[in-house]
Amino acid sequence: MSPRLPPAAASKPARAPGQVRLIGGRWRGSKLPVPDLPGLRPSGDRLRETLFNWLQGEVAGARVLDLFAGTGALGLEAASRGAARVDFVEQAPAAVAALRAAVARLGAAEGPPMAVHAADALAWLSDSAQGPFDLVFVDPPFAAGLWAPALAALAPRLAGRAWAYVESPAGSPAAVPAGWRLHRELRTREAHGGLYRVGGT
């Protein structure tokens, strides 16, 4: 299925909003700051609501990776909904600082283990021993063109029958590794999001 979300609610603005809010789970309604950084495009409320409706029943107990984390909204949404552990990878210092502050604030309220890694995503995938992951979010800066190397490096880190959500420019779905099966997709005026099942049946 390929729902088209309401443009006013779902499209990503050219300028990042000052904050986004978590929409489900134990931290529902909590607000996250959005640093004004080039290429930072926090996923909107309606998009995240649709994505996590698709993932209902798959998040609780999952080991989650939020790659190119930005605000960390996707990973924190998963933590709020019962993920067992969440790793965030982000390179921009301002985004890392804001994300670490949010993790410290929310994690103090009996959240799951969460770690923020200040690193280049490809270097981290090459060097880190973390994983395997049951659920990953991949939303790199669109101008960087990092989908192919990131997905190739990520593939060996995934658990059997993992889920991968990949976001790319509207009209340009990212090419994914062989064996990744599209489960659902969504489109806004500016972005395409695909939820893939990796391995298994």
Side-chain angles (χ1 to χ4, degrees), residues 5-13 42-48 188-189:
L5 304 183
S11 61
K12 292 184 174 178
S43 299
D45 291 358
R46 292 292 182 89
L47 187 151
R48 281 182 286 117
T188 72
R189 287 183 301 184

mmCIF file of all heavy atoms in Angstrom, residues 5-13 42-48 188-189:
data_model
loop_
_atom_site.group_PDB
_atom_site.id
_atom_site.type_symbol
_atom_site.label_atom_id
_atom_site.label_comp_id
_atom_site.label_asym_id
_atom_site.label_seq_id
_atom_site.Cartn_x
_atom_site.Cartn_y
_atom_site.Cartn_z
ATOM 1 N N LEU A 5 -0.049 11.010 2.695
ATOM 2 C CA LEU A 5 -0.457 11.707 3.899
ATOM 3 C C LEU A 5 -0.868 13.137 3.565
ATOM 4 O O LEU A 5 -0.408 13.714 2.585
ATOM 5 C CB LEU A 5 0.687 11.716 4.906
ATOM 6 C CG LEU A 5 1.227 10.333 5.256
ATOM 7 C CD1 LEU A 5 2.305 10.446 6.323
ATOM 8 C CD2 LEU A 5 0.128 9.416 5.719
ATOM 9 N N PRO A 6 -1.725 13.738 4.402
ATOM 10 C CA PRO A 6 -2.163 15.111 4.136
ATOM 11 C C PRO A 6 -0.970 16.040 4.070
ATOM 12 O O PRO A 6 -0.164 16.098 5.000
ATOM 13 C CB PRO A 6 -3.048 15.428 5.356
ATOM 14 C CG PRO A 6 -3.506 14.098 5.854
ATOM 15 C CD PRO A 6 -2.372 13.161 5.576
ATOM 16 N N PRO A 7 -0.788 16.805 2.988
ATOM 17 C CA PRO A 7 0.414 17.619 2.822
ATOM 18 C C PRO A 7 0.662 18.565 3.969
ATOM 19 O O PRO A 7 1.783 18.721 4.427
ATOM 20 C CB PRO A 7 0.140 18.383 1.514
ATOM 21 C CG PRO A 7 -0.828 17.532 0.767
ATOM 22 C CD PRO A 7 -1.673 16.887 1.819
ATOM 23 N N ALA A 8 -0.355 19.224 4.490
ATOM 24 C CA ALA A 8 -0.128 20.205 5.531
ATOM 25 C C ALA A 8 0.396 19.576 6.796
ATOM 26 O O ALA A 8 1.135 20.181 7.560
ATOM 27 C CB ALA A 8 -1.439 20.956 5.831
ATOM 28 N N ALA A 9 0.014 18.324 7.051
ATOM 29 C CA ALA A 9 0.425 17.677 8.283
ATOM 30 C C ALA A 9 1.665 16.846 8.122
ATOM 31 O O ALA A 9 2.411 16.643 9.072
ATOM 32 C CB ALA A 9 -0.719 16.788 8.792
ATOM 33 N N ALA A 10 1.892 16.308 6.910
ATOM 34 C CA ALA A 10 2.918 15.299 6.776
ATOM 35 C C ALA A 10 4.165 15.742 6.051
ATOM 36 O O ALA A 10 5.207 15.135 6.203
ATOM 37 C CB ALA A 10 2.323 14.093 6.041
ATOM 38 N N SER A 11 4.083 16.776 5.207
ATOM 39 C CA SER A 11 5.263 17.141 4.446
ATOM 40 C C SER A 11 6.319 17.743 5.353
ATOM 41 O O SER A 11 6.005 18.336 6.378
ATOM 42 C CB SER A 11 4.892 18.143 3.347
ATOM 43 O OG SER A 11 4.363 19.320 3.914
ATOM 44 N N LYS A 12 7.570 17.580 4.967
ATOM 45 C CA LYS A 12 8.657 18.107 5.769
ATOM 46 C C LYS A 12 8.966 19.528 5.321
ATOM 47 O O LYS A 12 9.246 19.763 4.154
ATOM 48 C CB LYS A 12 9.888 17.211 5.619
ATOM 49 C CG LYS A 12 9.695 15.850 6.250
ATOM 50 C CD LYS A 12 10.956 15.047 6.170
ATOM 51 C CE LYS A 12 10.785 13.742 6.931
ATOM 52 N NZ LYS A 12 11.979 12.901 6.846
ATOM 53 N N PRO A 13 8.932 20.484 6.234
ATOM 54 C CA PRO A 13 9.136 21.870 5.839
ATOM 55 C C PRO A 13 10.574 22.118 5.434
ATOM 56 O O PRO A 13 11.487 21.411 5.826
ATOM 57 C CB PRO A 13 8.782 22.648 7.116
ATOM 58 C CG PRO A 13 9.024 21.675 8.226
ATOM 59 C CD PRO A 13 8.686 20.325 7.660
ATOM 60 N N PRO A 42 13.173 16.458 10.552
ATOM 61 C CA PRO A 42 12.492 15.546 11.474
ATOM 62 C C PRO A 42 11.199 15.004 10.877
ATOM 63 O O PRO A 42 10.435 15.739 10.246
ATOM 64 C CB PRO A 42 12.211 16.424 12.705
ATOM 65 C CG PRO A 42 12.216 17.815 12.178
ATOM 66 C CD PRO A 42 13.214 17.841 11.058
ATOM 67 N N SER A 43 10.974 13.723 11.035
ATOM 68 C CA SER A 43 9.746 13.105 10.527
ATOM 69 C C SER A 43 8.553 13.668 11.281
ATOM 70 O O SER A 43 8.550 13.723 12.514
ATOM 71 C CB SER A 43 9.805 11.585 10.698
ATOM 72 O OG SER A 43 10.881 11.048 9.965
ATOM 73 N N GLY A 44 7.534 14.080 10.548
ATOM 74 C CA GLY A 44 6.365 14.705 11.155
ATOM 75 C C GLY A 44 5.497 13.724 11.926
ATOM 76 O O GLY A 44 5.632 12.503 11.829
ATOM 77 N N ASP A 45 4.570 14.278 12.706
ATOM 78 C CA ASP A 45 3.716 13.465 13.569
ATOM 79 C C ASP A 45 2.915 12.428 12.775
ATOM 80 O O ASP A 45 2.851 11.255 13.155
ATOM 81 C CB ASP A 45 2.729 14.357 14.333
ATOM 82 C CG ASP A 45 3.400 15.231 15.371
ATOM 83 O OD1 ASP A 45 4.633 15.129 15.536
ATOM 84 O OD2 ASP A 45 2.691 16.025 16.017
ATOM 85 N N ARG A 46 2.294 12.861 11.678
ATOM 86 C CA ARG A 46 1.436 11.943 10.924
ATOM 87 C C ARG A 46 2.250 10.824 10.300
ATOM 88 O O ARG A 46 1.814 9.672 10.260
ATOM 89 C CB ARG A 46 0.660 12.715 9.842
ATOM 90 C CG ARG A 46 -0.377 13.676 10.399
ATOM 91 C CD ARG A 46 -1.532 12.923 11.054
ATOM 92 N NE ARG A 46 -2.552 13.821 11.542
ATOM 93 C CZ ARG A 46 -3.582 14.239 10.822
ATOM 94 N NH1 ARG A 46 -3.708 13.841 9.562
ATOM 95 N NH2 ARG A 46 -4.476 15.050 11.331
ATOM 96 N N LEU A 47 3.442 11.162 9.808
ATOM 97 C CA LEU A 47 4.294 10.127 9.216
ATOM 98 C C LEU A 47 4.680 9.099 10.270
ATOM 99 O O LEU A 47 4.585 7.884 10.045
ATOM 100 C CB LEU A 47 5.525 10.768 8.587
ATOM 101 C CG LEU A 47 6.448 9.852 7.781
ATOM 102 C CD1 LEU A 47 7.157 10.649 6.693
ATOM 103 C CD2 LEU A 47 7.473 9.153 8.648
ATOM 104 N N ARG A 48 5.114 9.572 11.443
ATOM 105 C CA ARG A 48 5.519 8.628 12.494
ATOM 106 C C ARG A 48 4.324 7.816 13.000
ATOM 107 O O ARG A 48 4.459 6.625 13.290
ATOM 108 C CB ARG A 48 6.192 9.380 13.639
ATOM 109 C CG ARG A 48 7.635 9.730 13.338
ATOM 110 C CD ARG A 48 8.328 10.432 14.492
ATOM 111 N NE ARG A 48 7.878 11.806 14.615
ATOM 112 C CZ ARG A 48 7.246 12.298 15.662
ATOM 113 N NH1 ARG A 48 6.969 11.532 16.698
ATOM 114 N NH2 ARG A 48 6.877 13.566 15.692
ATOM 115 N N THR A 188 4.956 11.723 0.902
ATOM 116 C CA THR A 188 4.532 13.098 1.146
ATOM 117 C C THR A 188 4.989 13.905 -0.058
ATOM 118 O O THR A 188 5.544 13.364 -1.010
ATOM 119 C CB THR A 188 5.159 13.655 2.440
ATOM 120 O OG1 THR A 188 6.568 13.883 2.222
ATOM 121 C CG2 THR A 188 4.971 12.688 3.609
ATOM 122 N N ARG A 189 4.812 15.207 -0.022
ATOM 123 C CA ARG A 189 5.257 16.028 -1.147
ATOM 124 C C ARG A 189 6.776 15.992 -1.292
ATOM 125 O O ARG A 189 7.296 16.207 -2.385
ATOM 126 C CB ARG A 189 4.801 17.471 -0.951
ATOM 127 C CG ARG A 189 3.315 17.677 -1.165
ATOM 128 C CD ARG A 189 2.926 19.121 -1.033
ATOM 129 N NE ARG A 189 3.268 19.661 0.286
ATOM 130 C CZ ARG A 189 2.960 20.878 0.692
ATOM 131 N NH1 ARG A 189 2.324 21.693 -0.133
ATOM 132 N NH2 ARG A 189 3.275 21.289 1.896
#
